[in-house]
Structures are given as structure tokens and as C-alpha cells.
Amino acid sequence: RNSRLSHHDQSNDRGSDEDLRPFIGRHDLAGGLKQPATNVSEERQIKIGPDFDAEKLAAAADKTLRSRDLDLRPFKLDDIDSAYERWMNDEEVVRFTRIPAYDTSYDGLVAYAERVLNTPGTYFWSVTHREDRRAIGTAKLVVSLEHGIANWGYLIGERDYWRDSISLQAQVPVFDYAFDDLGVRKMYGGTDSDHVKSRFNLARMKFRKEGVFREHFRGGADGAKLVDLVYYGLLISEWQEVSGQFDYLRYRHDEHA
């Protein structure tokens, strides 16, 4: 099953992804936050490291990403509809996320999205199937503006789309954009130790296992199960080595001209 991936953004997942921390490696609840205007760094005294260009960071808030079959467009509050609420309250969809511990009512979801959309360095997208013209999930990228690293998360809420090509298509354009356009030098994230599919996909994308947080989360319907969190990392040089293997999943302008 590929309803979710797994990556943890320490700042936005469990602590990183604020509340509904579905996150990376777990599947974050939706995904992306709107980047503030260029002058936000001065207003909030946020330090931008040497890896980034302030103008590119600001432009990213309105950037639509594309893969072969999907469009990842900036998330809007209007995207919190009945389908979105259903995803967030579907036990199987959120199984590997921390979402069940948070307020998944309409008001709670709006509050979460507003927080995300106003967090510097966080990008949130609605994942839409282009041909079907249907929103099927979300994706998120959380960038450390000071250190040049980022973690990400995605959630495919519509079970009809739970297949490898879709889960990868929700991630490859995010990696391409983070590394090639924004200037991120490393992606990292965590996943539950028993989330076999997520760990398989991370290895497939050449992520390296960097550590294990033992008994880090409570899982199961009653929270009685203690779950290890396995962390992975991917350097830009490692992505460049494997990136070509995913060309078949990328958007081709010549095919859509």
C-alpha cells in the first residue's frame, strides 16, 4: 500500500509539522505550506543560509509542480472539502501518521492549514490527477532556511490511486524542485519501522538509513504499541546519481504541447 510515505520533518512532523503532523515518512497530512513574501525573512528575523536565493524561495509559494500524471498545485483553504475531511478521518489512510492524535474536524483542519500556509520555508500542495481532474492527496516540503536541508511528506487519500507510480509521482517533482530550483542540499525523513512499503521506496530512491529512534511513537488504535522511527537521508549528489531512473514519471512538455 502506498497511501503514505514516510519522512519526518522534525520541525513539522511531530514537532515539525505542527499539529496534524502526518508528515514525512509518516504521511503528513497534506503537505505544503505557503512561502511568505521575500521580505518575511526580515520581518520575522529568519536567517536564510548561503544555499538559498530569497526571490526563488518567495516564488515557490505559487509554484505548481508536475509529474507524468499529477499536478501539485499550491494548497488553498478551499481545498479543505468533504473529500479532504474524509481522508483525514480514514483510519487506513492515516495509519502511519500522527493525524489520529489531533483535531480532524473541519475547524481543526482549517487551523492546521492556516498555520502551515504562514510558516516560512514550508510549502504545501494539493495533489491532483490531471486526466481525472480529481484531488487525490497532498504533499509538503519543509525547508530549513538556515541549514539548507529539508524533509517532506505526502498523503494519497483516495485509495483508488494507491499504487507505486502515484506515490513516486507525488515525490519526484518535490525532490527535483527542492534540489534543482530551491537549492536544498539534503533531504531527510523518518518512517515507522513496520512501514515496509515506505522503507522499500526510500531505499529505491537511494536514501541511506541514518539512525533509529527506538520506541519513539505510540501506535495502534489505543496507542499501546511502541513504534521505532527509522531516519533516512539523501544528499543532492546521491539524488543526481539516481534521478534519471525516474524520468518515466516526469512531466514531458513535448507530450502535452
Side-chain angles (χ1 to χ4, degrees), residues 10 16 21 49 69-70 73 98 113 133 135 137 153 164 167 171 201 228 238 254:
Q10 203 69 17
S16 164
R21 184 173 41 240
D69 303 308
L70 305 178
R73 59 169 180 71
R98 301 284 75 77
R133 297 184 179 181
D164 284 343
S167 64
Q171 298 174 81
N201 280 335
D228 290 349
E238 295 166 338
D254 57 331

Side-chain angles (χ1 to χ4, degrees), residues 12 19 81 109-110 118 150 157 219 229 239:
N12 246 12
D19 279 338
D81 56 12
L109 295 173
V110 169
N118 287 287
L229 177 63
W239 177 244

Side-chain angles (χ1 to χ4, degrees), residues 7-227:
H7 321 288
H8 265 106
D9 167 327
Q10 203 69 17
S11 63
N12 246 12
D13 188 23
R14 192 136 267 276
S16 164
D17 243 319
E18 289 122 21
D19 279 338
L20 293 173
R21 184 173 41 240
F23 190 21
I24 282 190
R26 276 153 152 65
H27 262 146
D28 199 349
L29 160 274
L33 300 149
K34 190 170 185 178
Q35 179 69 25
T38 306
N39 64 357
V40 168
S41 59
E42 289 85 27
E43 293 177 357
R44 299 189 182 182
Q45 298 182 330
I46 295 169
K47 181 178 180 180
I48 296 180
D51 302 290
F52 301 115
D53 178 283
E55 291 186 2
K56 287 185 177 180
L57 289 172
D62 301 313
K63 179 72 173 181
T64 294
L65 309 182
R66 292 184 170 85
S67 59
R68 186 186 66 199
D69 303 308
L70 305 178
D71 287 333
L72 280 66
R73 59 169 180 71
F75 191 90
K76 306 184 301 295
L77 293 182
D78 289 346
D79 291 317
I80 303 175
D81 56 12
S82 58
Y84 185 85
E85 286 189 76
R86 171 168 49 80
W87 304 341
M88 296 302 109
N89 289 282
D90 184 322
E91 291 184 2
E92 188 61 19
V93 169
V94 302
R95 178 183 170 196
F96 291 104
T97 76
R98 301 284 75 77
I99 295 174
Y102 298 93
D103 181 3
T104 54
S105 66
Y106 176 80
D107 289 342
L109 295 173
V110 169
Y112 167 79
E114 289 179 333
R115 249 191 328 277
V116 169
L117 295 173
N118 287 287
T119 299
T122 304
Y123 305 89
F124 197 22
W125 293 278
S126 174
V127 177
T128 303
H129 192 279
R130 188 178 307 112
E131 183 175 349
D132 296 346
R133 297 184 179 181
R134 181 184 184 188
I136 64 172
T138 58
K140 183 167 69 175
L141 178 70
V142 181
V143 180
S144 169
L145 300 177
E146 182 175 1
H147 300 292
I149 60 178
N151 63 55
W152 79 112
Y154 74 86
L155 179 147
I156 303 301
E158 296 295 342
R159 300 193 194 188
D160 294 348
Y161 296 87
W162 284 9
R163 48 185 181 270
D164 284 343
S165 64
I166 293 297
S167 64
L168 289 173
Q169 285 189 68
Q171 298 174 81
V172 169
V174 173
F175 292 178
D176 285 343
Y177 191 62
F179 284 131
D180 300 339
D181 292 88
L182 294 184
V184 168
R185 61 181 182 80
K186 177 184 178 179
M187 297 286 288
Y188 72 95
T191 187
D192 289 0
S193 58
D194 58 353
H195 193 347
V196 178
K197 189 63 176 180
S198 177
R199 296 182 66 182
F200 172 81
N201 280 335
L202 288 169
R204 183 178 179 184
M205 292 184 285
K206 301 305 180 183
F207 275 78
R208 295 189 182 184
K209 179 179 175 181
E210 297 188 339
V212 178
F213 289 6
R214 298 174 299 160
E215 299 185 1
H216 201 62
F217 292 123
R218 287 191 176 278
D222 57 359
K225 181 180 180 181
L226 297 178
V227 181

